[in-house]
Amino acid sequence: MATVADGKTEYSNYHPSSIEKSETRCQQILECRRQIKSWQDKLNRLLVEQERYFKLAKLRCSAGSTEIHSTWSNLSWSEKQDKEFILAALESNELPLELKSFDEDVFPLHIRTDPEIFMARVHHESFEVAFRDYAGLVVPRTLCDDKNIMLEVVQRQPLVVKSMPDHWRDDPDIFRSVLKHQDLPWKLLQYFSKEIRSDAELMLAVFQHRDSELSWMGDCSERLRDDKVFFINAVDKFRSHCTKRTVEGYIKLRNHNEKPENQVLRYASQRLRSDFDVVMNCVQQWGMNLEHASDDLRRNDKIVMAACTQDYTASKYALPVGLEISFLEHYDFARSIIPYVSAETLKLCLDKHGEDERFCLYAIALNKNFEWSMIPETFRSDPNFVFTVVAKAADALSWRLWEALPLEMKRNVQ
């Protein structure tokens, strides 16, 4: 029986087991309600996903029957305002989408400027193809100040640096993000501040990139172009990654001296152009840089020898003119220029080194101006040497040499 004492009800006649059962039943009811809510939420999510699936399927069908650029226009106005649906469409790899048309007046402003939707476009698999020339890509003003977004955008499309806000032009992180892309914008350094172009670490990272050009050295700060250690390291890093792409990029130039590599010393300060180590490092790799060395070093035997060994045509920049003839006495130098010299210079080389059989064979094989009369008499009268030449020479050359032999020599060789 229940009794009332001081306004409180006491259940003095209830058995403890009854109270325990009641509490258990309440807990079970609460658990059932929780599970019902959980399943209801799951059902709602499935219904939303199912509706989105049908919308995407409809969009996919319309894309298959119309031009890709009109895919977005097939959406209803309510669908164009559905953020989740737009995200699902952008994340769908099966749906062909024209990303450029997204910036037109097809979607409401809050959709076009939404950070998640914009980044979904940036990460879309066809983004780099769609905006390979940067045309049509617009970073909303409301997103330009978001550093995380800009880091992602410039990594996927470095050309964005042309129009990015000025306060990002001196940000090292933005610059490093650009370098992560395999293709760099032409004249990249011109889009960044003097502080960036004065950072030796960042500039060395540029010249280590496979798509860099040594002509960019001219855009580095004056302080770096007067820094001996930086200049030598930059040239070495560029040389270490020089690829076939670089060679093919200049193969069509009429004058190979126009290649940026042959002009790199031009961007060095006057002090470095007179520095033996800097000039030697450049001419050993691209001999035509001799043109931009100081007059004193253009008279230096070691510098001129290194330049002409790498590229014999660099001899025209030696001082005084014609000094290269005295270098023909050096065996290695003379052997290195054989493929490129005129008949007159080849004869001078053979006059000085013609007693060496390998030197003669090298001249015969590689210089188109070679004449049999240039070979010393001792080799011309040696049947074994003649047989070696005739056997190893190309067909046209072999026949020409054979015709030049005296009849007695032909009989001995036979």
Side-chain angles (χ1 to χ4, degrees), residues 33 43 94 165 183 199 331 347 363:
R33 288 178 177 175
L43 176 61
E94 300 178 1
D183 299 318
D199 189 310
Y331 179 90
K347 188 176 185 306

Side-chain angles (χ1 to χ4, degrees), residues 77-318:
W77 183 247
S78 60
E79 291 171 337
K80 293 176 182 179
Q81 300 188 71
D82 187 340
K83 176 180 175 179
E84 297 300 325
F85 173 64
I86 300 300
L87 284 174
L90 289 170
E91 294 170 0
S92 174
N93 293 328
E94 300 178 1
L95 185 62
L97 298 174
E98 175 53 53
L99 297 182
K100 290 186 178 181
S101 63
F102 199 95
D103 283 325
E104 299 174 358
D105 297 331
V106 177
F107 292 91
L109 181 62
H110 74 277
I111 291 294
R112 299 201 308 269
T113 59
D114 184 274
E116 291 185 62
I117 291 180
F118 182 78
M119 292 309 299
R121 293 177 60 209
V122 172
H123 291 127
H124 194 276
E125 61 178 10
S126 63
F127 177 83
E128 292 194 35
V129 176
F131 299 108
R132 64 177 58 180
D133 57 353
Y134 182 57
L137 178 59
V138 177
V139 181
R141 293 183 179 180
T142 55
L143 304 181
C144 285
D145 291 331
D146 190 317
K147 183 173 181 177
N148 292 328
I149 290 180
M150 291 302 297
L151 287 172
E152 289 287 338
V153 174
V154 297
Q155 182 178 340
R156 295 275 287 172
Q157 177 46 278
L159 289 173
V160 171
V161 299
K162 293 182 177 181
S163 60
M164 68 181 179
D166 290 341
H167 60 272
W168 295 128
R169 300 185 187 279
D170 58 358
D171 190 300
D173 295 331
I174 295 291
F175 189 81
R176 293 189 185 96
S177 188
V178 173
L179 296 183
K180 292 179 181 179
H181 198 276
Q182 62 179 0
D183 299 318
L184 299 181
W186 180 244
K187 298 183 178 180
L188 166 68
L189 300 185
Q190 295 184 7
Y191 301 114
F192 286 89
S193 66
K194 184 178 180 179
E195 287 72 18
I196 294 294
R197 293 183 280 115
S198 300
D199 189 310
E201 180 184 354
L202 293 178
M203 293 303 99
L204 287 177
V206 170
F207 294 111
Q208 196 170 6
H209 194 284
R210 63 171 296 276
D211 198 41
S212 62
E213 305 293 351
L214 274 180
S215 61
W216 296 355
M217 189 74 76
D219 294 323
C220 294
S221 66
E222 293 183 6
R223 180 180 65 82
L224 290 183
R225 288 188 282 120
D226 190 48
D227 187 324
K228 178 178 178 179
V229 175
F230 167 79
F231 201 91
I232 292 178
N233 287 340
V235 171
D236 289 343
K237 286 184 178 296
F238 177 84
R239 181 64 179 176
S240 66
H241 75 76
C242 232
T243 62
K244 185 178 181 181
R245 178 203 65 80
T246 304
V247 176
E248 291 176 346
Y250 303 112
I251 199 67
K252 297 180 180 180
L253 289 179
R254 294 181 179 179
N255 182 4
H256 75 288
N257 191 34
E258 296 175 3
K259 295 196 304 182
E261 299 95 300
N262 290 331
Q263 301 288 323
V264 62
L265 198 55
R266 180 182 68 178
Y267 305 113
S269 65
Q270 194 63 41
R271 182 179 71 86
L272 293 188
R273 294 187 200 180
S274 302
D275 187 283
F276 181 89
D277 296 331
V278 172
V279 175
M280 177 62 79
N281 184 59
C282 290
V283 299
Q284 281 181 334
Q285 302 180 70
W286 305 287
M288 296 297 286
N289 278 287
L290 182 63
E291 176 187 4
H292 305 291
S294 66
D295 288 351
D296 290 340
L297 291 182
R298 289 170 65 188
R299 293 185 179 94
N300 185 284
D301 288 358
K302 293 182 179 179
I303 293 291
V304 176
M305 175 75 72
C308 295
T309 300
Q310 198 283 322
D311 187 343
Y312 176 69
T313 56
S315 61
K316 61 185 178 182
Y317 298 119

Side-chain angles (χ1 to χ4, degrees), residues 359-376:
F359 191 94
C360 292
L361 291 173
Y362 193 72
I364 293 171
L366 295 181
N367 193 294
K368 63 181 180 179
N369 299 314
F370 166 78
E371 295 293 340
W372 183 246
S373 59
M374 297 178 182
I375 299 296

